[in-house]
Amino acid sequence: MRRGSILLAMFVAVALCAPAVAEPPSYYLPDVERDAAIPEPDAVLGWGVGEWHVRHDQLVRYFEVLAEASPRVHLEEIGRTHEQRPLLHATITSERNHARLDEIRQRHQALVKNPTAAADFADLPVLVNLGYSVHGNEASGANASLAVAYHLASAGDETTRRWLDDLVIIIDPCLNPDGLARFAQWANTHRGAVPVADPQHREHREMWPNGRTNHYWFDLNRDWLPAQHPESQARLGAFHRWMPHVLADFHEMGTQSTYFFQPGVPSRKNPLTPDRNVELTHAFAERHAEALDELGSLYFTQELFDDYYYGKGSTYPDVHGAVGILFEQASSRGHVQDSPRARGGRLTFPQTILNQVATSFSTVRAAVELRQELLDYRKGFFAESLDQAREDQRRGWIVGEATDPERSARFAQLLLAHDVTVHALSDEVTVDGVKYAPGAAYVVPTDQVQYRLLLALFDTVSTFKDSTFYDVSTWTLPLAFDLSAAPLSDLTAVAGAALGEVVKPSAKAPGAEGTVAWAFAWSSYHAPLALRILQDADVVAQVATKPFTAGVHGGAEHSFSAGSIVVPKGLQTLQPEVLSAALAEAAAVGVEFHGITSGLARGGIDLGSPSAPVLEAPAPAILIGPGVGTYEAGEVWHLLDRRFGIETTLLEHSRLTRVRLDDYSHILMVDGDWHRLGDRGEEALRSWIRGGGVLVTMKRAAQWGERLIAAEKPEKHADDRKSADDESEEPKERLPYGEARQDAAVSIIGGSIFEVDLDRTHPLAFGFARDVLPVFRNSASILEAPSDPYVTVAAYTPKPLLSGYASPENVKRIAGSPAVIARRVQRGTVVQMIDPPSFRAFWLGTDKLLLNALFFGGVVQPTDRFRDEH
């Protein structure tokens, strides 16, 4: 069969209309004998790989046809995306291996669970996972998967047969179907008969939010540890079901670059990753270099990218005794684009696919040649993990929050998703003055094969070899969930049964007989969801802005903290059965309702107090569009829409002056360049706030918000583009150019955990169990302290750094500065949050700050009113 037959039709067609993209027909695949019964991609697609950007539905169809035609290919749907696109795994191996696939998987699982047992590797294939295009607009990977799968299914040469005998290859043709679909539509829509290489051509300049992210604008390559999205949950389940020895993660980078493969920057390896992992990665790198050298492709290996954060596709395997490898191909971001680093000064889409195909095959080749080393390494990794665990003086951790079983349950559920052994708490216990209760706390033993992962998830760290991070520098899960956690030297008295699943809390509302009101605490993670359910059903609810004690069903007394939600029977207009159904639905999410027997409190405010105002249902809008932080906007949208079912308008900021802002109770502004609103946009917001609107601002938007406040009440404010301690420019001492990157990193906070002190008397801090709160900080910006001493909801503690990297200078600057400010502006409220409240959807501990701004922002009072009362 002719060489490169897979793309012959494509190159003929392209050559007729677009010489700039045409390549010789021997482009992707070796000249080997092939099974004629296996269809080439062009026979299914109607065009050759690289001529157009493959849509996800077309990708799925080809893999379905391939699996039908080839006994080497088994196709499985492992999940669905938010937009209900299928997530596929194509398992490709020899027919002999297919016949014993369950046995192969179970034997590998046994080696993981019991790594010290004697094992015979003689007939055990290595498991290789090839994952493509976790970023949807890095499309060369997904398109390369077509050629790779076709070759493995059709080739009859001895080399390929050996690969399939010695390996089980799992191809994930697209890790982010929703993003790929968005990008393919964009690129194909703007492709002309003559492809345009000009970088300014619309094809190469996607509109906001572009195809990189998933449906909710999350970076799925950062979601391996948080696992908050269906795409990540599906691939995490498949990863632990198979435990591959090699995971190849195919990406793209800037057009003006070349090609990158690991190992990355040596000083940025996570210290929990064994040196042997790096040695094996180097061995793979030698094969990648040979493959790219043969093509004449340029590449680099130990710059820019690192292996520190375990939440990426190329690093998560490293803490599981596997070799994760990142590949980054310079992107054509369309079909062809000018680039001085490309052959002929133009980078074509087929060229980008070619390199991804080549390194896919060099990965497979290396896995075969290093088969024994990979098997030995996996076994030794988990055996060493157990040895290290048994040397640890800690026997485990106890984790939980007595006031919020839901947050505790979500934490335990996430650990189980990572194949971590978790035990129920058998009895109530107090550790270091903190009470832990069964059902609201869990025990995690150190003596398990996932010991290294547990260290990464539980320990805080503040010492680093390198201060430059490609991603976050810490991700301590108990702090992210705002849970109490303590190490234990003995588990015998507290560890109950190991959990197979986590039973989510649920509750029932008391009946109406003898009840004048129903009330529930705001401390539960799902309390805002319960309130939203009630408001959607037109149930009238109040918030107690001061604590009270009331008689409840059964003749007992119950103390309600500030922030408790009260549903007075006398204010309801619903039919009793409708009200009862709404209360039952709200309680079922896990919120404990109490039936109050009298409106006269036994302590604190009465139910009819002015300090218990009726709450209006929020009608929020998130300002989005060019210049707005995509990730931050997605985090807020996901939180309100997916977690709490709040109808939320996504409002283009360019339309701010052309819509009725009075339709919205809240406008949310995330990180971004908000100077682009201009004078008219700013005035529209000011007018809306004066009328009673609640503006919630985050990160740079919080700094920008100072100008709105300054316009209402003249006050000295810092320029929102400068730090509060900026001084006039002075001549700087001469420094080496080569140190500029490292020096710049010192001034950046790439992702660390800080601590703030909460004013729990403020409505925006209702529902928090403690006066201090861990927050995620990924910028060095600060807010200026307001002149009104009563409006700072949260401020950084004197020694705020809990975990992660931040320079001493930045820590000093941040200490004591405001983290959250909420102040009245005439009838409205402006809330400023300098940190993202719902970082990557797993920072559950600070979600409530944003939800409180949504539900309670309107009840914040001007502090001068209280002075006027006296």
Side-chain angles (χ1 to χ4, degrees), residues 165 190 225 324 410 452 460 611 647 649 675 811:
D165 283 338
H190 298 98
L225 276 184
R410 283 175 175 263
R452 279 187 172 102
T460 58
S611 296
E647 184 176 325
T649 298
H675 294 85
V811 174

Side-chain angles (χ1 to χ4, degrees), residues 53-74:
H53 279 262
V54 69
R55 299 194 315 265
H56 185 258
D57 61 297
Q58 295 169 324
L59 191 67
V60 170
R61 181 56 188 151
Y62 179 69
F63 273 86
E64 288 174 343
V65 170
L66 195 66
E68 291 169 3
S70 173
R72 297 177 179 179
V73 182
H74 170 72

